[in-house]
């Protein structure tokens, strides 16, 4: 889940950045390291394919002639309880990844539109989590005293909740309208304390460094100290944690949709497809395998890219 991923990232991050902003060549060095890593290359290529599928979902439906909610009764055999005609779940030249049992909806179209939902929710939740976590973490670490106490107690309060259980409870009580927006808000509400705690800890360390004290002695105000001296030194931490948060949120959204409190029908969702396939996996395993494989490999690819990025940034700081 998203909170677990962020917590693991918190444990793996280095204790603190050096006492100066990262050099200008950091981006080129990290890019060069990733280009020489076969795992990062393969993961990036697959992620590019998923993003392309999501962006071109309407074009895919136009080319195949099947929308995500278009029923194709000719692709299923009613005499066999609605099983797809042909082998491998109805994979054919007309349906490249097969069809869903009983209704004949095209799996490729639903995978493409499901990628849109998964990426939109995960990226939006990560962006909102990052903004809240960085702002509150900076405020707590820089100002200290009652500001730190208030924010820290709020973080402790939210982190004490079993996040998944409360997500299910909250989403079950909310209306079904505009589920993607509700998912983004709920995921962010339980996810930001983990990033904020890391940012707070490193801000506390940086605030006492010589270069910050020198800037304060030269007359720099709080805004200049935060944005010019402290925030640039948190760049690597923020990049790594946001990169590792995306796969966690994709998995969480799929899990919530699988449990029936996430994206609601007829909107396509990978978790929803996996949930629907459970009762069919013995007679039509491809209906389960295809969305499950896309979900697994997407989360794996994002995790690999985030891990390789962390290693590249750590190597640069060590040098």
């Amino acid at each position: 889940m998203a909170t677990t991923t962020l917590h693991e990232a918190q444990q793996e991050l280095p204790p603190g950045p050096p006492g100066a902003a990262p050099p200008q060549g950091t981006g080129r060095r990290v890019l060069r390291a990733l280009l020489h890593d076969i795992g990062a290359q393969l993961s990036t290529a697959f992620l590019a394919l998923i993003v392309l599928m999501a962006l071109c979902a309407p074009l895919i439906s136009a080319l195949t002639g099947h929308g995500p909610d278009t029923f194709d009764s000719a692709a299923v055999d009613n005499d066999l309880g609605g099983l797809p005609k042909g082998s491998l779940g109805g994979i054919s030249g007309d349906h490249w990844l097969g069809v869903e049992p009983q209704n004949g909806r095209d799996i490729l179209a639903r995978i493409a539109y499901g990628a849109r939902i998964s990426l939109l929710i995960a990226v939006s939740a990560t962006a909102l989590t990052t903004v809240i976590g960085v702002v509150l973490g900076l405020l707590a670490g820089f100002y200290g005293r009652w500001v730190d106490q208030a924010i820290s107690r709020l973080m402790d309060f939210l982190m004490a909740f079993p996040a998944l259980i409360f997500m299910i409870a909250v989403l079950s009580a909310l209306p079904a309208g505009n589920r993607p927006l509700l998912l983004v808000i709920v995921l962010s509400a339980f996810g930001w304390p983990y990033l904020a705690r890391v940012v707070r800890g490193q801000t506390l360390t940086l605030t006492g460094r010589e270069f910050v004290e020198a800037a304060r002695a030269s007359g720099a105000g709080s805004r200049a100290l935060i944005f010019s001296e402290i925030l640039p030194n948190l760049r690597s931490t923020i990049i790594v944690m946001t990169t590792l948060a995306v796969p966690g949120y994709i998995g969480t959204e799929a899990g919530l949709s699988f449990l029936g409190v996430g994206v609601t029908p007829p909107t396509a969702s990978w978790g929803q497809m996996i949930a629907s396939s459970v009762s069919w996996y013995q007679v039509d395993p491809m209906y389960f395998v295809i969305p499950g494989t896309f979900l697994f490999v997407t989360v794996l690819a994002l995790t690999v890219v985030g891990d390789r990025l962390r290693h590249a940034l750590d190597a640069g700081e060590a040098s």
Side-chain angles (χ1 to χ4, degrees):
M1 296 300 171
T3 52
T4 303
T5 303
L6 288 171
H7 180 66
E8 293 171 353
Q10 175 185 354
Q11 302 301 322
E12 295 175 352
L13 286 170
Q24 294 298 319
T26 298
R28 293 182 180 179
R29 173 180 49 76
V30 170
L31 181 60
R32 186 164 54 249
L34 294 178
L35 289 176
H36 285 81
D37 190 306
I38 185 64
Q41 292 178 23
L42 292 174
S43 298
T44 303
F46 181 80
L47 292 175
L49 174 63
I50 294 298
V51 172
L52 187 63
M53 285 181 60
L55 293 174
C56 298
L59 179 60
I60 293 174
S61 293
L63 290 174
T64 60
H66 304 288
D69 302 315
T70 303
F71 287 16
D72 185 2
S73 58
V76 296
D77 192 338
N78 293 323
D79 294 334
L80 295 177
L83 283 175
K85 293 181 179 178
S87 58
L88 299 176
I91 293 178
S92 64
D94 194 31
H95 296 281
W96 299 349
L97 293 181
V99 297
E100 291 186 349
Q102 289 190 324
N103 53 49
R105 290 186 297 191
D106 187 72
I107 290 181
L108 174 59
R110 294 188 65 76
I111 288 290
Y113 279 89
R116 279 187 157 192
I117 291 295
S118 294
L119 293 177
L120 175 63
I121 292 174
V123 172
S124 300
T126 300
L128 184 56
T129 298
T130 301
V131 171
I132 298 174
V134 170
V135 170
L136 294 183
L138 279 170
L139 291 175
F142 184 80
Y143 289 105
R145 297 185 179 180
W146 68 268
V147 177
D148 185 20
Q149 288 296 318
I151 295 176
S152 295
R153 297 296 77 77
L154 178 59
M155 288 191 290
D156 293 340
F157 176 76
L158 290 174
M159 293 172 69
F161 282 105
L164 179 60
I165 295 176
F166 276 86
M167 286 181 190
I168 295 172
V170 170
L171 289 169
S172 299
L174 292 174
N178 206 350
R179 272 296 181 187
L181 177 60
L182 293 176
L183 281 167
V184 170
I185 294 174
V186 171
L187 291 172
S188 302
F190 286 97
W192 70 264
Y194 297 90
L195 175 58
R197 172 160 288 188
V198 175
V199 171
R200 171 190 173 274
Q202 295 202 357
T203 301
L204 286 170
T205 302
L206 289 168
T207 302
R209 294 288 181 88
E210 293 81 0
F211 68 97
V212 176
E213 293 294 341
R216 182 181 284 112
S218 66
S222 298
R223 180 178 299 181
L225 291 174
I226 291 175
F227 289 100
S228 299
E229 304 296 337
I230 296 177
L231 190 57
N233 285 283
L234 298 175
R235 182 176 62 182
S236 298
T237 298
I238 295 170
I239 290 174
V240 170
M241 294 199 69
T242 53
T243 305
L244 292 174
V246 175
Y249 283 134
I250 289 179
T252 304
E253 180 276 321
L256 292 171
S257 297
F258 179 87
L259 294 172
V261 296
V263 178
T264 54
T267 305
S269 165
W270 291 354
Q272 192 184 103
M273 292 177 68
I274 295 172
S276 301
S277 68
V278 169
S279 59
W280 293 91
Y281 76 92
Q282 289 185 328
V283 292
D284 184 16
M286 294 303 292
Y287 183 27
F288 172 82
V289 168
I290 292 175
T293 299
F294 270 93
L295 175 62
F296 170 75
V297 179
T298 300
V299 172
L300 176 63
L302 284 164
T303 304
V304 168
V305 171
D307 184 65
R308 297 298 193 273
L309 180 60
R310 179 179 61 85
H311 280 295
L313 291 169
D314 287 354
E317 291 180 353
S319 62

